Amino acid sequence: MAGLSQDWEPVVIRKKAPTAAARKDEKAVNAARRAGAEIETVRKATAGSNRAASSSTTLNTRKLDEDTENLSHEKVPTELKKAIMQARQDKKLTQSQLAQLINEKPQIIQEYESGKAIPNQQIISKLERALGAKLRGKK
């Protein structure tokens, strides 16, 4: 045990230095003022205003204003909706019965018959099979 000795030197543990964000914190600035330290304040060019955001939106707004193209999706043609209605009534089916036959929601049949649906070739072919009538190609 003669070779073992204890080291009694003090160990000092320090906190990390404050980060840049912490130094700019309102509390830290006020504490520095009270202590009499010199404080430098710099105002940024666009601080407190929304200039940068508004300048880019004016370009987009102008493009939208100049764009006169009328965009709308394709809807069910009048001939198709009349053909679906006629074939369904000939088979004495309700919209919900027809929807059940083709494994779709009744709302889809309503949309097709009212002309609000976006034409889907798969659904139209299901309707043709269920009704036994050719719905496409009558143009």
Side-chain angles (χ1 to χ4, degrees):
M1 290 260 193
L4 290 178
S5 66
Q6 273 204 331
D7 183 14
W8 288 100
E9 285 189 36
V11 175
V12 180
I13 299 173
R14 292 196 176 100
K15 288 185 181 178
K16 280 195 283 182
T19 61
R23 275 186 257 133
K24 293 176 187 174
D25 185 24
E26 194 175 345
K27 279 186 197 174
V29 172
N30 287 338
R33 281 190 183 128
R34 273 186 248 111
E38 197 173 305
I39 299 167
E40 183 183 344
T41 56
V42 179
R43 183 166 162 74
K44 292 189 177 178
T46 57
S49 73
N50 211 358
R51 264 187 244 136
S54 65
S55 65
S56 64
T57 54
T58 54
L59 297 173
N60 294 337
T61 311
R62 191 178 312 121
K63 279 182 189 175
L64 285 171
D65 288 342
E66 290 171 357
D67 189 17
T68 57
E69 188 178 350
N70 191 5
L71 303 172
S72 63
H73 54 72
E74 188 184 348
K75 292 191 175 169
V76 177
T78 312
E79 310 88 51
L80 178 62
K81 63 183 187 182
K82 284 182 181 175
I84 292 171
M85 242 184 278
Q86 191 61 49
R88 177 178 62 80
Q89 288 168 349
D90 289 347
K91 283 237 176 183
K92 294 182 174 62
L93 293 171
T94 64
Q95 287 181 340
S96 54
Q97 288 171 334
L98 177 58
Q100 237 177 353
L101 277 173
I102 65 166
N103 291 330
E104 294 291 342
K105 292 180 184 173
Q107 182 184 352
I108 289 176
I109 304 300
Q110 287 173 339
E111 287 174 356
Y112 269 86
E113 288 188 1
S114 65
K116 293 178 184 170
I118 300 170
N120 181 340
Q121 294 305 316
Q122 281 184 314
I123 293 176
I124 295 172
S125 64
K126 283 182 188 179
L127 285 167
E128 284 179 335
R129 267 184 259 124
L131 296 170
K134 186 145 177 70
L135 304 172
R136 292 177 284 192
K138 291 183 180 178
K139 287 189 179 179

Coordinates of all heavy atoms in Angstrom, one line a residue, residues 11-66:
V11 N -10.7 20.0 -8.4 CA -11.2 19.9 -9.8 C -12.3 21.0 -9.9 O -13.2 21.1 -9.2 CB -11.9 18.5 -10.0 CG1 -12.5 18.4 -11.4 CG2 -10.9 17.4 -9.8
V12 N -12.0 21.8 -11.0 CA -12.9 23.0 -11.2 C -13.8 22.6 -12.4 O -13.3 22.3 -13.5 CB -12.1 24.2 -11.5 CG1 -13.0 25.4 -11.7 CG2 -11.2 24.5 -10.3
I13 N -15.1 22.7 -12.2 CA -16.1 22.5 -13.3 C -16.7 23.8 -13.6 O -17.3 24.5 -12.7 CB -17.1 21.4 -12.8 CG1 -16.5 20.1 -12.5 CG2 -18.2 21.2 -13.9 CD1 -17.4 19.1 -11.9
R14 N -16.7 24.2 -14.9 CA -17.2 25.5 -15.3 C -18.4 25.3 -16.2 O -18.4 24.3 -17.0 CB -16.1 26.3 -16.0 CG -15.1 26.8 -15.1 CD -14.2 27.9 -15.7 NE -13.2 28.4 -14.8 CZ -12.0 28.0 -14.9 NH1 -11.5 27.2 -15.8 NH2 -11.1 28.5 -14.0
K15 N -19.3 26.2 -16.2 CA -20.4 26.2 -17.2 C -19.9 26.6 -18.5 O -18.9 27.3 -18.6 CB -21.5 27.2 -16.7 CG -22.3 26.8 -15.5 CD -23.4 27.8 -15.3 CE -24.2 27.5 -14.1 NZ -25.2 28.5 -13.9
K16 N -20.6 26.2 -19.6 CA -20.2 26.7 -20.9 C -20.4 28.2 -21.0 O -21.3 28.7 -20.4 CB -21.0 25.9 -22.0 CG -20.6 24.5 -22.3 CD -21.2 24.0 -23.5 CE -22.6 23.6 -23.3 NZ -23.3 23.1 -24.5
A17 N -19.7 28.8 -21.9 CA -19.9 30.2 -22.2 C -21.2 30.4 -22.8 O -21.7 29.5 -23.6 CB -18.8 30.7 -23.1
P18 N -21.9 31.5 -22.6 CA -23.2 31.7 -23.2 C -23.1 31.7 -24.7 O -22.2 32.3 -25.3 CB -23.7 33.0 -22.7 CG -22.5 33.7 -22.2 CD -21.5 32.7 -21.8
T19 N -24.1 31.2 -25.4 CA -24.2 31.2 -26.8 C -24.6 32.6 -27.3 O -25.0 33.4 -26.6 CB -25.2 30.2 -27.3 OG1 -26.5 30.6 -26.8 CG2 -24.9 28.7 -26.9
A20 N -24.4 32.7 -28.6 CA -24.7 34.1 -29.2 C -26.2 34.5 -29.0 O -26.5 35.6 -28.7 CB -24.4 34.0 -30.7
A21 N -27.1 33.5 -29.1 CA -28.5 33.8 -28.9 C -28.7 34.2 -27.4 O -29.5 35.1 -27.1 CB -29.3 32.5 -29.2
A22 N -28.1 33.5 -26.5 CA -28.2 33.8 -25.1 C -27.7 35.2 -24.7 O -28.2 35.9 -23.9 CB -27.6 32.8 -24.2
R23 N -26.6 35.6 -25.4 CA -26.0 36.9 -25.2 C -26.9 38.0 -25.7 O -26.9 39.1 -25.2 CB -24.7 37.0 -25.9 CG -23.5 36.5 -25.0 CD -22.2 36.7 -25.6 NE -21.8 35.4 -26.2 CZ -21.3 35.3 -27.4 NH1 -21.1 36.3 -28.2 NH2 -20.9 34.1 -27.9
K24 N -27.7 37.7 -26.7 CA -28.6 38.7 -27.3 C -30.0 38.7 -26.5 O -30.9 39.5 -26.9 CB -28.9 38.5 -28.7 CG -27.6 38.7 -29.6 CD -27.9 38.3 -31.0 CE -26.6 38.3 -31.8 NZ -26.8 37.8 -33.2
D25 N -30.2 37.8 -25.6 CA -31.4 37.7 -24.9 C -31.7 39.0 -24.1 O -30.8 39.7 -23.6 CB -31.3 36.5 -23.9 CG -32.6 36.2 -23.2 OD1 -33.6 36.6 -23.7 OD2 -32.5 35.6 -22.1
E26 N -33.0 39.3 -24.0 CA -33.3 40.6 -23.3 C -32.8 40.7 -21.9 O -32.3 41.7 -21.4 CB -34.9 40.7 -23.3 CG -35.3 42.1 -23.0 CD -36.9 42.3 -23.1 OE1 -37.5 41.4 -23.8 OE2 -37.4 43.3 -22.6
K27 N -32.9 39.5 -21.2 CA -32.4 39.5 -19.8 C -30.9 39.8 -19.7 O -30.4 40.6 -18.9 CB -32.6 38.1 -19.2 CG -34.0 37.8 -18.7 CD -33.9 36.5 -18.0 CE -35.3 35.9 -17.8 NZ -35.2 34.5 -17.3
A28 N -30.2 39.2 -20.7 CA -28.7 39.4 -20.7 C -28.4 40.8 -21.0 O -27.4 41.4 -20.4 CB -28.1 38.4 -21.7
V29 N -29.1 41.4 -21.9 CA -28.8 42.8 -22.3 C -29.1 43.7 -21.1 O -28.3 44.6 -20.8 CB -29.7 43.2 -23.6 CG1 -29.6 44.7 -23.9 CG2 -29.2 42.4 -24.8
N30 N -30.2 43.5 -20.5 CA -30.6 44.3 -19.3 C -29.5 44.2 -18.2 O -29.2 45.2 -17.5 CB -32.0 44.0 -18.8 CG -33.1 44.5 -19.7 OD1 -32.8 45.5 -20.5 ND2 -34.2 43.9 -19.6
A31 N -29.1 43.0 -18.0 CA -28.0 42.7 -16.9 C -26.7 43.5 -17.3 O -26.1 44.1 -16.4 CB -27.8 41.2 -16.8
A32 N -26.4 43.5 -18.6 CA -25.2 44.2 -19.0 C -25.3 45.7 -18.8 O -24.4 46.4 -18.5 CB -24.9 43.8 -20.5
R33 N -26.5 46.2 -19.1 CA -26.8 47.6 -18.9 C -26.6 48.0 -17.4 O -26.0 49.0 -17.1 CB -28.2 48.0 -19.3 CG -28.4 48.1 -20.8 CD -29.8 48.7 -21.2 NE -29.9 48.8 -22.6 CZ -30.9 48.3 -23.3 NH1 -31.9 47.7 -22.7 NH2 -31.0 48.4 -24.6
R34 N -27.2 47.2 -16.5 CA -27.1 47.4 -15.1 C -25.6 47.4 -14.7 O -25.2 48.2 -13.8 CB -27.9 46.4 -14.3 CG -29.3 46.8 -14.1 CD -30.1 45.9 -13.2 NE -31.1 45.2 -14.0 CZ -31.0 43.9 -14.3 NH1 -30.1 43.1 -13.9 NH2 -32.0 43.4 -15.1
A35 N -24.9 46.5 -15.2 CA -23.5 46.3 -14.9 C -22.6 47.5 -15.5 O -21.4 47.6 -15.1 CB -22.9 45.0 -15.3
G36 N -23.2 48.2 -16.4 CA -22.5 49.3 -17.0 C -21.6 48.9 -18.2 O -20.8 49.7 -18.6
A37 N -21.9 47.7 -18.7 CA -21.1 47.3 -19.9 C -21.6 48.0 -21.1 O -22.7 48.6 -21.2 CB -21.3 45.8 -20.1
E38 N -20.7 48.1 -22.1 CA -21.0 48.8 -23.4 C -21.9 47.9 -24.3 O -21.5 46.7 -24.5 CB -19.7 49.2 -24.1 CG -19.9 50.2 -25.2 CD -18.6 50.7 -25.7 OE1 -17.7 51.0 -25.0 OE2 -18.4 50.6 -27.0
I39 N -23.0 48.4 -24.8 CA -23.9 47.6 -25.6 C -24.0 48.3 -26.9 O -24.3 49.5 -27.0 CB -25.3 47.6 -24.9 CG1 -25.1 46.9 -23.5 CG2 -26.3 46.8 -25.8 CD1 -26.4 47.1 -22.7
E40 N -23.9 47.5 -28.0 CA -24.0 48.0 -29.3 C -25.3 47.5 -29.9 O -25.6 46.3 -29.9 CB -22.8 47.4 -30.2 CG -22.9 48.0 -31.6 CD -21.7 47.4 -32.4 OE1 -20.8 46.8 -31.9 OE2 -21.8 47.5 -33.7
T41 N -26.1 48.3 -30.4 CA -27.4 47.9 -31.1 C -27.3 48.3 -32.5 O -26.9 49.4 -32.9 CB -28.6 48.6 -30.4 OG1 -28.4 50.0 -30.5 CG2 -28.8 48.2 -29.0
V42 N -27.7 47.3 -33.4 CA -27.7 47.5 -34.8 C -29.0 47.1 -35.3 O -29.5 46.0 -35.1 CB -26.6 46.6 -35.5 CG1 -26.6 46.7 -37.0 CG2 -25.2 46.9 -34.9
R43 N -29.6 48.0 -36.1 CA -31.0 47.7 -36.7 C -30.8 47.1 -38.1 O -30.0 47.7 -38.9 CB -31.7 49.0 -36.8 CG -33.1 48.9 -37.3 CD -34.0 50.1 -37.1 NE -35.1 50.2 -37.9 CZ -36.2 49.5 -37.7 NH1 -36.3 48.6 -36.8 NH2 -37.3 49.6 -38.5
K44 N -31.4 46.0 -38.3 CA -31.3 45.4 -39.6 C -32.1 46.1 -40.6 O -33.1 46.8 -40.3 CB -31.8 43.9 -39.5 CG -30.9 43.1 -38.6 CD -31.3 41.6 -38.7 CE -30.3 40.8 -37.9 NZ -30.6 39.4 -38.0
A45 N -31.8 46.0 -41.9 CA -32.4 46.8 -42.9 C -33.9 46.6 -43.1 O -34.7 47.5 -43.2 CB -31.7 46.5 -44.2
T46 N -34.3 45.3 -43.0 CA -35.7 45.0 -43.2 C -36.4 44.6 -41.9 O -37.5 43.9 -42.0 CB -35.9 43.9 -44.3 OG1 -35.2 42.8 -43.9 CG2 -35.5 44.4 -45.6
A47 N -35.8 44.9 -40.8 CA -36.4 44.4 -39.5 C -37.7 45.1 -39.3 O -37.9 46.3 -39.5 CB -35.4 44.8 -38.4
G48 N -38.7 44.3 -38.8 CA -40.0 44.9 -38.5 C -40.9 45.2 -39.7 O -42.0 45.6 -39.5
S49 N -40.4 44.9 -40.9 CA -41.3 45.2 -42.0 C -41.4 43.9 -42.8 O -40.7 42.9 -42.5 CB -40.7 46.2 -42.9 OG -39.6 45.7 -43.6
N50 N -42.3 43.9 -43.7 CA -42.6 42.7 -44.5 C -42.2 42.9 -45.9 O -42.8 42.3 -46.8 CB -44.1 42.3 -44.3 CG -44.4 40.9 -44.4 OD1 -43.4 40.1 -44.6 ND2 -45.6 40.5 -44.2
R51 N -41.3 43.7 -46.1 CA -40.9 44.1 -47.5 C -40.4 42.9 -48.4 O -40.8 42.8 -49.5 CB -39.8 45.2 -47.5 CG -40.4 46.5 -47.6 CD -39.3 47.5 -47.8 NE -39.4 48.4 -46.6 CZ -38.3 48.8 -45.9 NH1 -37.1 48.5 -46.2 NH2 -38.5 49.6 -44.8
A52 N -39.6 42.0 -47.8 CA -39.0 40.9 -48.6 C -40.1 40.0 -49.0 O -40.1 39.5 -50.2 CB -38.0 40.2 -47.7
A53 N -41.1 39.7 -48.2 CA -42.2 38.8 -48.6 C -43.1 39.4 -49.6 O -43.5 38.8 -50.5 CB -43.0 38.4 -47.3
S54 N -43.4 40.7 -49.5 CA -44.3 41.3 -50.4 C -43.8 41.6 -51.8 O -44.5 41.5 -52.7 CB -44.8 42.7 -49.8 OG -43.8 43.6 -49.7
S55 N -42.5 41.7 -51.9 CA -41.9 42.0 -53.2 C -42.0 40.8 -54.1 O -42.2 40.9 -55.3 CB -40.4 42.4 -53.1 OG -39.7 41.4 -52.5
S56 N -41.9 39.6 -53.5 CA -42.0 38.4 -54.4 C -43.4 38.0 -54.7 O -43.7 37.5 -55.7 CB -41.3 37.2 -53.7 OG -42.0 36.9 -52.5
T57 N -44.3 38.4 -53.8 CA -45.7 38.0 -54.1 C -46.3 38.9 -55.2 O -47.2 38.5 -55.9 CB -46.6 38.1 -52.8 OG1 -46.4 39.4 -52.3 CG2 -46.3 37.1 -51.8
T58 N -45.8 40.1 -55.4 CA -46.3 41.0 -56.4 C -46.1 40.4 -57.8 O -46.9 40.5 -58.7 CB -45.7 42.4 -56.4 OG1 -44.3 42.3 -56.4 CG2 -46.2 43.1 -55.1
L59 N -44.9 39.7 -57.9 CA -44.6 39.0 -59.2 C -45.6 37.9 -59.5 O -46.2 37.8 -60.6 CB -43.2 38.5 -59.2 CG -42.1 39.5 -59.1 CD1 -40.7 38.7 -58.9 CD2 -42.0 40.4 -60.3
N60 N -45.9 37.1 -58.4 CA -46.9 36.0 -58.6 C -48.3 36.5 -58.8 O -49.0 36.0 -59.7 CB -46.9 35.1 -57.3 CG -45.5 34.4 -57.1 OD1 -44.8 34.2 -58.1 ND2 -45.2 34.0 -55.9
T61 N -48.6 37.6 -58.2 CA -49.9 38.2 -58.3 C -50.1 38.7 -59.8 O -51.2 38.5 -60.4 CB -50.2 39.3 -57.4 OG1 -49.8 38.9 -56.1 CG2 -51.6 39.8 -57.3
R62 N -49.1 39.3 -60.3 CA -49.1 39.8 -61.7 C -49.3 38.6 -62.6 O -50.1 38.7 -63.6 CB -47.9 40.6 -62.0 CG -48.0 41.3 -63.3 CD -46.8 42.2 -63.7 NE -46.3 43.0 -62.6 CZ -45.0 42.9 -62.2 NH1 -44.2 42.1 -62.7 NH2 -44.6 43.7 -61.2
K63 N -48.6 37.5 -62.4 CA -48.7 36.4 -63.3 C -50.1 35.8 -63.3 O -50.7 35.5 -64.3 CB -47.7 35.3 -62.9 CG -46.3 35.5 -63.4 CD -45.5 34.3 -62.9 CE -44.0 34.6 -63.2 NZ -43.2 33.5 -62.7
L64 N -50.7 35.8 -62.1 CA -52.1 35.2 -61.9 C -53.1 36.2 -62.6 O -54.0 35.7 -63.2 CB -52.4 35.1 -60.4 CG -51.8 33.9 -59.7 CD1 -52.1 34.0 -58.3 CD2 -52.3 32.6 -60.3
D65 N -52.9 37.5 -62.5 CA -53.8 38.4 -63.1 C -53.7 38.3 -64.6 O -54.7 38.4 -65.3 CB -53.4 39.8 -62.7 CG -53.9 40.1 -61.2 OD1 -54.7 39.3 -60.7 OD2 -53.4 41.1 -60.6
E66 N -52.5 38.1 -65.2 CA -52.3 38.0 -66.6 C -52.8 36.7 -67.2 O -53.2 36.6 -68.4 CB -50.8 38.2 -67.0 CG -50.3 39.6 -66.8 CD -48.8 39.7 -66.9 OE1 -48.1 38.7 -67.1 OE2 -48.3 40.8 -66.8

